[in-house]
Amino acid sequence: MERKIEHVKQRASVRDIAAETGVSIATVSRVLNDHASVAPRTRDLVLQAVERRRQETPAKVRTVYVRCPYVLTDYFGLIVSSIAETLKLRGLRMLLDAGESGQHSAALRGLTDQADVDGAILILPPEEGGELVALSRAGYPFVVVDPRVLPLPDIASVSAAHFAGARAVADHLIELGHRDIAVIAGPEEWLAGDARLAGHRASLAQAGVLLTPDRLRHVEPTVAHGARAAVELLALEPKPSAIVCFNDKVAVGTLQAARERGLRVPEDLSVAGFDDIDLAEATNPRLTTVRQPLQEMGSIAVTQLMRVLDGHRPEALHIELATTLVVRDSTARLEQR
């Protein structure tokens, strides 16, 4: 009864209810205050009118804060677009905070004070794990997409199967006869970088190959950094027969470095990437890579967050979505070189 009285006070006046039901204002007040001196049929009539008005009142549109402190390239852009489309389909509003300047802001600390925001989706958040834990312990609902650090207790996250994807591409190169495989890995502090490097190492170890320090570089995931790392690796003697890269942009830089040295890909050097962004099919040769389900990551993050907003636990705290090896033209059998 208290909830019904609250709804009437906030959304419909006693006068409105009286006009709709044809009873007096005093009778409506007695019903709402649960007085006994009201005929049962009249009480039901008033309460039914209250319920109709409650159901007809538009529900508050939930707003989700989406933080992507990076340039919305084809990688991050695909995730954000998927989140935006899924939120729209579910009738939720998106408040987007994007751009590299956000990496140095204290955006998370003020979230709990924003009454007009109901929850958040954080894409590759640069914050330390402790800050995310503090936000979770404050009871704030959020989901992490592609976490930078190890999955944290009681924090829902969605990512790709980095280890399995990296192992698949290394297995592919080994099946082609390559054993001298260099790796241009991602930043050492990234969870995805650690997982992909571990996948490469596992594949090489199974083939009886040790990844030596001179065959390994850690770089920021850009074309320019990939090119510089590839120049160093291709100057080694003997030079590696294949280079597997942290992502497609690093692989594009590797293709550039190989071309500048007069090397043919894949005849003289096999190159593989990760992500399968549009760029992978625009290179010459087209890039062998690992496809991440970027759109699915975005849509599942929305689904997970909605469960939390509705008062339920996520279906699973840490969801890893399967990756797919995509073989194109940048890798070939070693004997063809």
Side-chain angles (χ1 to χ4, degrees):
M1 177 59 69
E2 290 179 358
R3 285 198 295 270
K4 291 182 178 178
I5 294 172
E6 181 182 351
H7 281 306
V8 171
K9 288 180 179 178
Q10 292 179 349
R11 306 184 190 278
S13 68
V14 172
R15 187 181 301 276
D16 295 331
I17 299 298
E20 179 179 339
T21 58
V23 303
S24 69
I25 293 175
T27 298
V28 173
S29 296
R30 285 198 295 273
V31 172
L32 297 179
N33 288 288
D34 204 22
H35 286 182
S37 58
V38 181
R41 289 185 61 185
T42 302
R43 180 183 301 277
D44 290 343
L45 183 66
V46 170
L47 292 179
Q48 288 171 11
V50 170
E51 182 63 17
R52 281 196 300 274
R53 286 184 170 271
R54 185 187 68 80
Q55 293 178 356
E56 291 169 359
T57 302
K60 174 183 176 291
V61 177
R62 287 169 168 170
T63 298
V64 174
Y65 170 70
V66 178
R67 183 167 186 250
C68 182
Y70 309 94
V71 176
L72 295 183
T73 57
D74 36 16
Y75 178 88
F76 292 111
L78 285 172
I79 298 174
V80 170
S81 295
S82 176
I83 290 172
E85 291 171 3
T86 308
L87 288 173
K88 186 176 181 180
L89 287 172
R90 299 293 189 94
L92 280 73
R93 182 184 295 115
M94 181 173 77
L95 176 62
L96 177 62
D97 180 8
E100 292 182 335
S101 61
Q103 295 181 19
H104 309 293
S105 69
L108 300 191
R109 297 175 190 172
L111 276 181
T112 54
D113 298 325
Q114 294 188 30
D116 57 340
V117 176
D118 298 279
I121 297 176
L122 311 176
I123 303 172
L124 192 62
E127 286 79 12
E128 296 291 333
E131 195 164 344
L132 297 175
V133 170
L135 187 63
S136 176
R137 288 177 177 170
Y140 191 84
F142 69 97
V143 174
V144 176
V145 177
D146 203 9
R148 186 190 294 261
V149 297
L150 288 172
L152 299 165
D154 300 324
I155 294 178
S157 65
V158 182
S159 65
H162 298 292
F163 178 92
R167 181 161 191 165
V169 74
D171 285 348
H172 166 68
L173 291 170
I174 289 169
E175 288 169 4
L176 293 175
H178 296 276
R179 293 298 181 271
D180 192 353
I181 301 173
V183 176
I184 303 180
E188 294 183 79
E189 68 274 12
W190 284 19
L191 177 61
D194 290 343
R196 293 181 195 178
L197 180 56
H200 297 318
R201 288 188 188 276
S203 177
L204 292 169
Q206 188 172 9
V209 177
L210 176 66
L211 179 62
T212 57
D214 65 318
R215 256 56 178 168
L216 174 63
R217 297 292 185 278
H218 287 277
V219 301
E220 292 295 319
T222 67
V223 173
H225 283 88
R228 284 197 288 270
V231 167
E232 295 177 5
L233 292 170
L234 294 175
L236 298 173
E237 289 295 341
K239 69 176 183 296
S241 66
I243 298 179
V244 61
C245 303
F246 174 74
N247 67 359
D248 293 340
K249 291 183 178 180
V250 171
V252 168
T254 300
L255 292 176
Q256 292 178 356
R259 188 163 48 248
E260 289 170 2
R261 290 183 63 87
L263 298 174
R264 299 168 301 164
V265 176
E267 293 86 355
D268 302 319
L269 176 73
S270 283
V271 177
F274 204 108
D275 291 344
D276 195 31
I277 58 177
D278 290 345
L279 189 62
E281 286 202 272
T283 58
N284 186 19
R286 298 182 311 148
L287 194 61
T288 291
T289 186
V290 175
R291 179 175 298 151
Q292 283 202 73
L294 300 177
Q295 289 94 336
E296 290 86 346
M297 286 164 60
S299 62
I300 288 177
V302 173
T303 300
Q304 292 287 80
L305 180 62
M306 289 196 68
R307 284 187 60 82
V308 177
L309 291 176
D310 289 338
H312 306 293
R313 287 185 61 81
E315 293 178 357
L317 278 179
H318 311 303
I319 296 178
E320 277 196 356
L321 301 180
T323 54
T324 306
L325 176 66
V326 181
V327 178
R328 296 196 179 99
D329 309 321
S330 64
T331 53
R333 289 198 171 278
L334 183 60
E335 56 263 29
Q336 293 179 3
R337 295 174 54 209

